[in-house]
Amino acid sequence: CFKQLEGRRVAPLVKCEAKNLPTYPGPNKMRDCYCTVNLDREEVFRTKIVEKSLCPFYGEDFYCEIPRSFRHLSFYVFDRDVFRRDSIIGKVAIQKEDLPKYHNRDTWFQLQHVDAYSEVQGKVHLELRLSEVITDTGAVCHKLANCGVADPHEDTSLAGSEAKKTKVKKKTNNPQFDEVFYFEVTRPCSYSRKSHFDFEEEDVDKLEIRVDLWNASNLKFGDEFLGELRVPLNVLRQSSCYEAWYFLQPRDNGSKSLKPGDLGSLRLNVVYTEDHVFSSSYYRPLRDLLLRSADVEPVSASAAHVLGEVCREKQEAAVPLVRFFLHYGRVVPFISAIASAEVQRTQDPNTIFRGNSLTSKCIDETMKLAGMHYLHVTLKPAIEEICQGHRPCEIDPVKLKDGENLENNMENLRQYVDRIFSVITKSGVSCPTVMCDIFFSLREAAAKRFQDDLDVRYTAVSSFIFLRFFAPAILSPNLFQLTPHHTDPQTSRTLTLISKTIQTLGSLSKSKSASFKESYMAAFYEFFNEQKYADAVKNFLDLISSSGRRDPKSVEQPILLKEGFMIKRAQGRKRFGMKNFKKRWFRLTNHEFTYQRSKGEQPLCSIPIENILAVERLEEESFKMKNMFQVIQPERALYIQANNCVEAKAWIDILTKVSQSNKKRLAVYHPSAYLNGHWLCCRASSDTAPGCTPCTGGLPANIQLDIDGDRETERIYSLFHSHMSRLEKMQEACGSRSVYDGPEQEEYSTFIIDDPQETYKTLKQVIAGVGALEQEHAQYRRDKFKKTKYGSQEHPIGDKSFQSYIRQQSETSTHSI
């Protein structure tokens, strides 16, 4: 009954800011720094470079699904010198089990020193056996046998004995040694044996086996330390044979760290959620209650609206609610209902949808999910033109560089603004239907509420499509995948000026020059005071907020979905030639998947989308390479290595999505490669042999189905469960209002309660549904606790998160008894 899915979402909101970094040992003392986000030691995100600062502010959001287990979420601060060489200043490493402590909180962390002895990851399987033999001289000899599975080569030693070394296993991250080492300690025949140890019992705890892991190197700098583990011999007290998996640990005697504060500090806001998802039947009561939300009168008494009330951050509630309602095709009725209710509570038309309400956050999230392709097809060509043109556009007289002309810069900027404004206002026919239907409901609700204000029907829509959709994408194109990398400082400044102007053009405010704090922006805006700009905005807003205005048609021009460098293996299209690995620029549109030597060149290979039969991961043992996947075609498979695990998942997901509707999609595939005349997975000799493993389910082609509804329901349950005290407080507020219709306690005034009796009824159902699910989770945790073995490959010794879990379960069991 348990769905085999451990859904992990992590969003390190790298609104990070560093301070008091050590000065650069040069004349200007400033540094050019950037920050990376790492799962253990694997980099999954990199911020822009902030130049000439010892207190850089990044302000970037990074969100990803975590596709594998991890021990630390790490943040490294790097400095780039004039020769474009990167050096590490320091790091912050947060253990997985500590992430809840910092959930959604701004926290300053001291940067820690980084050295070769502290950077470890991986695990080792070790087997110990103790046997007694009698030598030819009559001496009693105890032999300790040790064998293990570890990384490239292993040094093993017993305290007081000579170290032993395994053979080097080349080009692998998962070697298997199966080597046995013996450590001997002898005693004379007259020795009185107290135990099966050669030493006294009280000395046993002092003895340990130490295993060091090294990456063998042919360079003069020597081997690279990968980690160590120390196993006390008292593990053999109960039995003469012992085996277990261990996490590698850093070396205690590594380089000495600098004093705290010497390397500076890093401020982070990390949001981490982990959900364990049951099968659909478990969620039926809560799911049905949520799906009725749009029909409840008033909507403030619905389960979905209640979630927004009890969550202190509206975004926290909006994300799972929007995904849930999108999955079940009810997002438009729900948003229409809560938007109409918010409009009715608004007194001034100039403040409509200006706050961070549940309505605003839900519409933002819907646009992010449903409008990404629309954003790409509209803005990407123009943004690329600006990045490649690199024309000077600074119009602040104070910031002009030597040799720049203010009038020329204004003309350059005006042309760019005109280009962006034109593509936006002509893109109405491409706006996704779900967004148009929501805008239609916003327009109708605003016009009905403020009948004397003829502009409110436009500003209600423009506050979202311009202010919250197009303007942020222009300002930070990298965060919306409009550019593969961060833009340089000059281009970033140009995009900032364009974003400000477009935002003001779209607002249709009556006093536009007054919208700018800077006098130079007000002067520049005089270029756009013509009526044609206001007319173009209104025509565009009319088009995208007219429900049922057009027939849905596929866009004829190709839409660029994703691009970037990856490494591919030759496909064997030529009869002769080496099947080697090469770095190529990959490009995916809704028509084809291509690669070329570098960006902008002619494609070396083009795969039509209809020829993609499956997209699956490739087992690491095939080529001894991580993060590989395969794009399976009728004649062959294309093997590709992504830069990291997050990037690999992103490519697999989007390739699967665009090819999901192909009629000839495979039901089975080979998880390993075809090498040396056979498939490594099933040993079949024919390269055309049918697959041996069922294909993964993949992603449905329709965005409304591109979501796991059960997982979103589980997330909503988790939010209700974590805010149970506020649910109970809201119940008290309903009771207070029902019996005493007067001034209420201050703690109750934060809740929107239009109908106390109906809201109380909903709260009672929510609390009952959450309680039933909590009982199921508790039973699952008890069952898992009984079955799980500490020291297994899944939970190696040294797994602090599992140790914490064992402690919690022990406390729970004791409390229950």
Coordinates of all heavy atoms in Angstrom, one line a residue, residues 621-650:
E621 N 27.9 1.5 -14.3 CA 29.0 0.5 -14.7 C 29.2 0.4 -16.2 O 30.2 -0.2 -16.6 CB 28.6 -0.8 -14.1 CG 28.7 -0.9 -12.5 CD 30.1 -0.6 -12.1 OE1 31.0 -1.2 -12.6 OE2 30.2 0.3 -11.2
S622 N 28.3 0.9 -17.0 CA 28.5 0.8 -18.4 C 29.8 1.4 -18.9 O 30.5 0.8 -19.6 CB 27.3 1.4 -19.2 OG 26.1 0.7 -18.9
F623 N 30.0 2.6 -18.5 CA 31.2 3.3 -18.9 C 32.0 3.9 -17.7 O 32.9 4.7 -17.9 CB 30.9 4.5 -19.9 CG 30.2 4.0 -21.1 CD1 28.8 4.2 -21.3 CD2 30.9 3.4 -22.1 CE1 28.2 3.8 -22.4 CE2 30.2 3.0 -23.3 CZ 28.9 3.2 -23.4
K624 N 31.7 3.5 -16.5 CA 32.3 3.9 -15.3 C 32.2 5.5 -15.2 O 33.1 6.2 -14.8 CB 33.8 3.6 -15.2 CG 34.1 2.1 -15.6 CD 33.5 1.1 -14.6 CE 33.8 -0.3 -14.9 NZ 33.1 -1.3 -14.1
M625 N 31.0 6.0 -15.6 CA 30.8 7.4 -15.6 C 29.4 7.7 -14.9 O 28.5 7.0 -15.2 CB 30.8 8.0 -17.0 CG 32.2 7.8 -17.7 SD 32.1 8.2 -19.5 CE 31.7 9.9 -19.5
K626 N 29.4 8.8 -14.1 CA 28.2 9.2 -13.4 C 27.3 10.0 -14.3 O 27.7 10.6 -15.3 CB 28.5 10.0 -12.1 CG 29.2 9.2 -11.0 CD 29.5 10.1 -9.8 CE 30.1 9.3 -8.7 NZ 29.1 8.5 -8.0
N627 N 26.0 10.2 -13.9 CA 25.0 11.1 -14.5 C 24.8 10.9 -16.0 O 24.7 11.8 -16.7 CB 25.5 12.5 -14.2 CG 25.7 12.8 -12.7 OD1 24.9 12.4 -11.9 ND2 26.7 13.6 -12.4
M628 N 24.8 9.6 -16.4 CA 24.6 9.3 -17.8 C 23.1 8.8 -18.0 O 22.5 8.3 -17.2 CB 25.5 8.2 -18.2 CG 27.0 8.6 -18.3 SD 28.0 7.6 -19.4 CE 27.3 8.0 -21.0
F629 N 22.7 9.2 -19.2 CA 21.3 8.7 -19.7 C 21.4 8.4 -21.1 O 22.4 8.7 -21.8 CB 20.3 9.8 -19.4 CG 20.4 11.1 -20.1 CD1 19.8 11.3 -21.3 CD2 21.2 12.1 -19.6 CE1 19.9 12.6 -21.9 CE2 21.4 13.3 -20.2 CZ 20.7 13.5 -21.4
Q630 N 20.3 7.8 -21.6 CA 20.3 7.3 -23.0 C 19.0 7.8 -23.7 O 18.0 7.8 -23.1 CB 20.4 5.8 -23.1 CG 19.4 5.1 -22.3 CD 19.7 3.6 -22.3 OE1 19.9 3.0 -23.4 NE2 19.6 2.9 -21.1
V631 N 19.2 8.3 -24.9 CA 18.1 8.7 -25.8 C 18.0 7.6 -26.8 O 18.8 7.4 -27.7 CB 18.3 10.0 -26.5 CG1 17.1 10.4 -27.4 CG2 18.5 11.1 -25.4
I632 N 16.9 6.7 -26.7 CA 16.8 5.5 -27.5 C 16.0 5.9 -28.8 O 14.9 6.4 -28.8 CB 16.1 4.4 -26.7 CG1 16.8 4.1 -25.4 CG2 16.0 3.2 -27.6 CD1 16.1 3.2 -24.5
Q633 N 16.7 5.5 -30.0 CA 16.1 5.7 -31.3 C 15.8 4.4 -31.9 O 16.2 3.3 -31.4 CB 17.0 6.6 -32.1 CG 17.5 7.8 -31.5 CD 18.8 8.3 -32.1 OE1 18.8 8.8 -33.3 NE2 19.9 8.3 -31.4
P634 N 15.1 4.4 -33.1 CA 14.9 3.1 -33.8 C 16.1 2.3 -34.1 O 16.1 1.0 -33.9 CB 14.1 3.5 -35.0 CG 13.5 4.8 -34.7 CD 14.4 5.5 -33.8
E635 N 17.2 2.9 -34.5 CA 18.4 2.2 -34.9 C 19.5 2.0 -33.8 O 20.2 1.1 -33.8 CB 19.0 2.9 -36.1 CG 18.1 3.0 -37.3 CD 17.7 1.6 -37.9 OE1 18.6 0.7 -37.8 OE2 16.6 1.5 -38.4
R636 N 19.5 3.0 -32.9 CA 20.6 3.0 -31.9 C 20.2 3.8 -30.7 O 19.1 4.5 -30.7 CB 21.9 3.5 -32.5 CG 21.7 5.0 -33.0 CD 23.0 5.4 -33.7 NE 23.2 4.7 -35.0 CZ 22.6 5.1 -36.1 NH1 21.7 6.1 -36.2 NH2 22.8 4.4 -37.3
A637 N 21.1 3.8 -29.7 CA 20.9 4.7 -28.6 C 22.0 5.7 -28.5 O 23.2 5.4 -28.8 CB 20.8 3.9 -27.3
L638 N 21.6 6.9 -28.1 CA 22.6 8.0 -27.9 C 22.9 8.1 -26.4 O 22.0 8.3 -25.6 CB 22.1 9.3 -28.4 CG 23.0 10.6 -28.2 CD1 24.3 10.4 -28.8 CD2 22.3 11.8 -28.7
Y639 N 24.2 7.8 -26.0 CA 24.6 7.9 -24.6 C 25.2 9.2 -24.3 O 26.1 9.7 -25.0 CB 25.6 6.8 -24.3 CG 25.1 5.4 -24.6 CD1 25.9 4.5 -25.3 CD2 23.9 5.0 -24.2 CE1 25.4 3.2 -25.6 CE2 23.4 3.7 -24.4 CZ 24.2 2.8 -25.1 OH 23.7 1.5 -25.3
I640 N 24.6 9.9 -23.2 CA 25.0 11.3 -22.9 C 25.3 11.3 -21.4 O 24.7 10.7 -20.6 CB 23.8 12.2 -23.2 CG1 23.5 12.1 -24.7 CG2 24.2 13.7 -22.9 CD1 22.2 12.9 -25.1
Q641 N 26.3 12.1 -21.1 CA 26.7 12.4 -19.7 C 26.4 13.9 -19.4 O 26.9 14.8 -20.1 CB 28.1 12.1 -19.4 CG 28.5 12.3 -17.9 CD 30.0 12.2 -17.6 OE1 30.8 12.6 -18.4 NE2 30.3 11.7 -16.4
A642 N 25.5 14.2 -18.4 CA 25.2 15.5 -18.0 C 26.3 16.0 -17.0 O 27.1 15.2 -16.4 CB 23.8 15.6 -17.4
N643 N 26.2 17.3 -16.6 CA 27.2 17.9 -15.8 C 27.1 17.4 -14.3 O 28.0 17.3 -13.6 CB 27.1 19.4 -15.8 CG 27.5 19.9 -17.2 OD1 28.4 19.4 -17.9 ND2 26.7 20.9 -17.7
N644 N 25.8 17.2 -13.9 CA 25.6 16.8 -12.5 C 24.3 16.1 -12.4 O 23.5 16.0 -13.4 CB 25.7 18.0 -11.5 CG 24.7 19.1 -11.9 OD1 23.5 18.8 -12.0 ND2 25.2 20.3 -12.1
C645 N 23.9 15.6 -11.3 CA 22.7 14.7 -11.1 C 21.4 15.6 -11.3 O 20.4 15.1 -11.9 CB 22.6 14.1 -9.8 SG 22.6 15.2 -8.4
V646 N 21.4 16.8 -10.9 CA 20.2 17.7 -11.1 C 20.0 18.0 -12.6 O 18.9 17.9 -13.1 CB 20.4 19.0 -10.3 CG1 19.3 20.0 -10.6 CG2 20.4 18.7 -8.8
E647 N 21.1 18.3 -13.3 CA 21.1 18.6 -14.7 C 20.6 17.3 -15.5 O 19.8 17.4 -16.4 CB 22.4 19.0 -15.2 CG 22.4 19.6 -16.6 CD 21.7 21.0 -16.7 OE1 21.4 21.6 -15.7 OE2 21.5 21.4 -17.9
A648 N 21.1 16.1 -15.1 CA 20.7 14.9 -15.8 C 19.2 14.7 -15.6 O 18.5 14.3 -16.6 CB 21.5 13.7 -15.2
K649 N 18.7 14.9 -14.4 CA 17.2 14.7 -14.2 C 16.4 15.7 -15.0 O 15.4 15.4 -15.6 CB 16.9 14.9 -12.7 CG 15.4 14.6 -12.4 CD 15.2 14.8 -10.9 CE 13.7 14.4 -10.6 NZ 12.7 15.2 -11.3
A650 N 16.9 17.0 -15.1 CA 16.2 18.0 -15.9 C 16.1 17.6 -17.4 O 15.0 17.7 -18.0 CB 16.9 19.3 -15.7

